[in-house]
Amino acid sequence: MKTILVPTDFSSQANNALDLAVQIARKSGAKILVINVIEGLRDFSFNTMGEAENDAAEEVFIVRKLIDQVKLRLSEIVNNEGYADVSIESAVEMGNAFESISKVIADHDADLLVMGTKGTSGLEEVLIGSNTEKVVRYAKCPVITVKDRVKLGEIKNIVFASNLQDEQTELVKRLKIIQEVTGATLHLVKINTPNHFSTQRQMMKEFSNFIDKHDLSNASTSIYNEATEEDGILYFAEDLGACMIAMGTHGRTGILHLLSGSIAEDLVNHAQVPVWTLSQKRRK
């Protein structure tokens, strides 16, 4: 792991994400890139002297002041004495948050994205969604979302919910990296629901084949019965305690996404523990 990206809006959730990223960087030796995305501003035309067109001069002045303020706040993060033992850089991006984050991931070949989320529920969740959900759905690197402050050393268990059927070689390869960093036990769990039920004998064989195929170590297997997969994963994690939840997300869009939903994205909204995800779009 070489580069960890942390988007920040300077909220408490973003600060919690940065704090976790710093802990991971200390264990892995990775550098951290903190970015702030300034949204909702139009492009400006500048002449060869760097001066804006007259009708935009006042707005450009305001934008420049805003950028200066953001850079100042980012510099306070970079120069924080508590992070002196970690390599931290910062950057300001302009434009759409999701597109800017995606571009930075590609430009810097980021190995991990850690971001804070407030979570949503009810009508807000259905109608609005969030940049976090878009990033989780499409990001080309693993994403860890956090709400509260997390101590890396207290993550003793990683709950990995999988159907064990899809091709997941890349996902498991990346997941083993964060398992190594945390030293946590990997818990493979199958959630039995009334509509998707598997027998004990069937699952034991599938678990064994999956562990052998991916050469997993420090791993356990469980079957958990619940009304829905999402509730089953959340309750299983609560029962274990000291958890991170890990899942692949399908990256579906449009009507298919609205009809089928995404358990991974729902967990990002509702789980109080960190959630590790990797988009499976175009990975099969």
Side-chain angles (χ1 to χ4, degrees):
M1 193 182 301
K2 296 181 179 178
T3 303
I4 302 172
L5 176 62
V6 183
T8 184
D9 57 2
F10 308 106
S11 65
S12 61
Q13 290 83 7
N15 292 338
N16 292 339
L18 175 60
D19 184 69
L20 178 59
V22 167
Q23 294 177 69
I24 294 173
R26 286 180 179 137
K27 292 276 287 187
S28 65
K31 71 175 183 180
I32 295 175
L33 175 61
V34 183
I35 67 166
N36 175 268
V37 181
I38 300 177
E39 296 186 84
L41 301 176
R42 65 186 179 92
D43 293 331
F44 298 99
S45 297
F46 295 89
N47 61 27
T48 56
M49 299 300 293
E51 297 171 340
E53 296 174 348
N54 290 335
D55 61 346
E58 183 176 353
E59 191 172 353
V60 169
F61 174 78
I62 295 173
V63 170
R64 283 178 170 164
K65 293 290 288 184
L66 176 59
I67 292 173
D68 288 343
Q69 291 174 0
V70 169
K71 286 183 175 180
L72 178 61
R73 297 190 71 177
L74 288 173
S75 70
E76 292 172 354
I77 291 175
V78 172
N79 296 314
N80 186 321
E81 291 184 359
Y83 304 148
D85 57 337
V86 175
S87 174
I88 302 182
E89 300 175 0
S90 66
V92 179
E93 298 289 329
M94 307 279 287
N96 174 272
F98 164 69
E99 292 176 356
S100 297
I101 291 171
S102 299
K103 182 177 183 298
V104 173
I105 290 173
D107 290 348
H108 292 266
D109 195 21
D111 300 290
L112 177 67
L113 173 67
V114 186
M115 64 189 302
T117 177
K118 296 185 172 93
T120 55
S121 60
L123 190 61
E124 181 184 17
E125 182 178 351
V126 174
L127 296 179
I128 299 175
S130 68
N131 282 314
T132 304
E133 285 187 358
K134 291 180 182 177
V135 172
V136 166
R137 198 180 306 163
Y138 300 116
K140 300 302 182 183
C141 69
V143 179
I144 296 177
T145 53
V146 297
K147 295 183 178 70
D148 303 319
R149 189 170 293 275
V150 178
K151 291 184 178 180
L152 189 66
E154 294 181 357
I155 298 176
K156 304 298 184 182
N157 304 294
I158 297 177
V159 175
F160 179 40
S162 168
N163 61 16
L164 307 181
Q165 302 299 317
D166 298 335
E167 174 53 48
Q168 299 182 73
T169 300
E170 183 63 22
L171 184 147
V172 175
K173 177 183 174 182
R174 303 287 191 100
L175 181 56
K176 287 165 76 172
I177 294 174
I178 197 66
Q179 183 190 13
E180 182 179 355
V181 169
T182 60
T185 299
L186 186 64
H187 296 266
L188 278 68
V189 60
K190 166 64 169 67
I191 307 300
N192 262 340
T193 67
N195 294 327
H196 296 89
F197 183 85
S198 300
T199 66
Q200 180 89 10
R201 177 174 292 187
Q202 174 188 348
M203 286 312 305
M204 288 302 101
K205 183 176 180 180
E206 291 187 13
F207 281 138
S208 178
N209 291 340
F210 193 86
I211 289 173
D212 290 344
K213 176 181 178 180
H214 298 288
D215 192 26
L216 296 177
S217 60
N218 191 18
S220 71
T221 62
S222 299
I223 299 174
Y224 197 90
N225 301 322
E226 191 49 64
T228 67
E229 289 182 79
E230 181 189 339
D231 284 347
I233 295 167
L234 288 173
Y235 297 157
F236 180 74
E238 287 179 8
D239 290 348
L240 276 177
C243 276
M244 174 184 287
I245 295 172
M247 280 195 73
T249 181
H250 53 50
R252 295 181 184 132
T253 59
I255 191 68
L256 184 60
H257 174 73
L258 292 176
L259 291 175
S260 65
S262 169
I263 297 172
E265 290 160 35
D266 287 342
L267 287 171
V268 166
N269 278 325
H270 302 147
Q272 295 305 309
V273 298
V275 179
W276 181 103
T277 57
L278 179 63
S279 172
Q280 293 296 281
K281 189 175 179 63
R282 297 191 185 95
R283 292 182 185 273
K284 295 182 180 180

